[in-house]
Amino acid sequence: MSVAAYDGRMDTTTPSPAFPPALARIVATVSIGFVVTQLDVTIVNIALAHLAGDLHLPVAGLQWVVDAYTLAFAVLMLSAGALGDRFGTRRLYVAGLLLFAFASLACGAAVAPAMLIAARALQGVGAAAMLPNSLALLNDACRHDPRLRARAVGGWTAAGSIAIAAGPVVGGLLIAAWGWRGIFLVNLPLCAAGLAATFAWVPARREQAAPARSTRSLDPRGQFIAIAMLTALTGAVIEWRPLGFTHPVVAGGFVLAALAALAFVVVESRTATPMLPLSLFRHPAFSTAVLFGICVNLTYYGTVFVLALYLQRARGESALQAGLAFLPLTGGFLLSNLASGRVVARHGPRVPMVAGALVAALGYGSLHFVDAATPLGVLLVPFLLIPSGMGFAVPAMTTAVLASVAPERAGIASAVLNTARQAGGAIGVAAFGALAGGGGAAQVVSGLRIETVVSVALLVAAALLATRVRTDADRGAPRSRQALSAHD
């Protein structure tokens, strides 16, 4: 059965409407929040060697520094989306910026591993409040024009994608200038700019929640079970290599994760106001985009973690040299993100999703044969292909999700998508980091080769899945947004 995704037939015979200055300012404002949340996903990777030395962290400890942020980010986004739907997306966005700034200050002041990991988790809480509500603000600003929305989402996604790609580069420069604490303190002026722009450019009227939103309530049981499920699974994967699969902590973690997953489905199906409305997954377009997003984030986050170890431990590069080696990723994301928005506006999401996944898979495949002696110039090819493919696919994926739900459900829909993506990223860091073993040069190279095979397989599967997404040209009579929402 093919996937009906998109809200209404787009007129591709007329030029795209002009981008209003007021909308451009809102896009810029919410993109600041997206930038800081995505920057802190990857910027820490370039500091791994410094953290290992200063705080005496093994590879498993480094994985926890990365995943404490990603896990909190993932498991709390659903509740943050519900809070935004109920109390106003602008309020939640502002609260997220404030909390993120405080947590970043705590990270920069950390003097022990536990303090840094706890502060990273608090950063994740702030990020969870920001991301789904930033997208909901954006969707609300251009909800009456699907073509403008596609372009706006492309710009918003470009900002976040560039931040992910630029994280290692920025991190290398900051570490060279001020040490590893600088990678966290740089968030303070960014959050201040985001707050000022929000109060200046995002109208206060967006605080008003629609009647459909105001009836939503929190789901504490579902939230607790989700935290237990993802934490147990990630912890078991991280500790698998150092402790062994039969260790009670590892085996028990996998069992607890499986039981929690089952309990989560049961609880959410029986709750009047679930944290994760399972009815969303009755829309094939939504389900397709969520699975696609998991594959994209799992492969990218895990690969960046291993590549940071490869550049510094296998090749002996400094933090600055390793950061600059990631520079080609930034340009690839920028160009492909902007191109994707225009392609989606004309042809729908299928073409960029399929093409992007295959290009990224080619990039991962070209990493398979590298070793400690591979010239840095050889890495230019995968470092361009991977972000070019991802940057082309991700805006299409995001637009497909927004188009599959009614406007009043944009907050929770974007939260579900990004929860799944961040959860996939956490598992990617845990799994691919475990393949790197103790972090020695030979182990890192071996782990990199294995994870490239896994990445190629996952992205080819994602491309095949995306072929089922129908575009306007071959959809026939589409179902309207109202028809989709009537079945929620």
Side-chain angles (χ1 to χ4, degrees), residues 369-420:
F369 301 101
V370 304
D371 56 30
T374 300
L376 277 176
V378 175
L379 298 178
L380 180 63
V381 173
F383 279 19
L384 286 174
L385 289 176
I386 291 170
S388 295
M390 286 182 57
F392 201 51
V394 169
M397 171 197 70
T398 304
T399 303
V401 164
L402 293 177
S404 69
V405 299
E408 65 269 15
R409 309 203 77 181
I412 189 63
S414 62
V416 172
L417 171 64
N418 287 290
T419 291

Side-chain angles (χ1 to χ4, degrees), residues 47 134 143 168 172 175 181 184 253 255 270 288 293 298 311 317 350 358 372 396 404 417 422 483 488:
S134 72
R143 63 188 181 277
I175 290 170
R181 299 180 192 278
F184 300 113
V255 171
R270 297 179 179 179
T288 296
L298 189 155
L311 289 169
E317 310 283 358
R350 180 173 65 185
L358 292 178
S404 69
L417 171 64
Q422 294 302 323
D488 288 346

Side-chain angles (χ1 to χ4, degrees), residues 295-439:
C295 292
V296 167
N297 275 43
L298 189 155
T299 54
Y300 186 75
Y301 286 22
T303 299
V304 169
F305 182 88
V306 176
L307 281 174
L309 293 176
Y310 163 76
L311 289 169
Q312 295 182 76
R313 294 195 173 184
R315 298 183 59 90
E317 310 283 358
S318 68
L320 179 58
Q321 290 170 326
L324 292 175
F326 282 102
L327 188 59
L329 274 71
T330 307
F333 271 119
L334 173 62
L335 297 176
S336 59
N337 267 163
L338 296 177
S340 178
R342 295 185 179 278
V343 174
V344 171
R346 289 186 61 85
H347 303 292
R350 180 173 65 185
V351 170
M353 287 176 72
V354 173
L358 292 178
V359 169
L362 183 61
Y364 287 114
S366 64
L367 279 172
H368 181 69
F369 301 101
V370 304
D371 56 30
T374 300
L376 277 176
V378 175
L379 298 178
L380 180 63
V381 173
F383 279 19
L384 286 174
L385 289 176
I386 291 170
S388 295
M390 286 182 57
F392 201 51
V394 169
M397 171 197 70
T398 304
T399 303
V401 164
L402 293 177
S404 69
V405 299
E408 65 269 15
R409 309 203 77 181
I412 189 63
S414 62
V416 172
L417 171 64
N418 287 290
T419 291
R421 293 182 64 193
Q422 294 302 323
I427 298 303
V429 170
F432 291 177
L435 292 173

Side-chain angles (χ1 to χ4, degrees), residues 49-58 65 110-114 116-117 180-181:
H50 290 263
L51 293 173
D54 290 357
L55 300 180
H56 309 291
L57 284 165
V65 170
V111 295
L116 178 58
I117 291 171
W180 64 264
R181 299 180 192 278

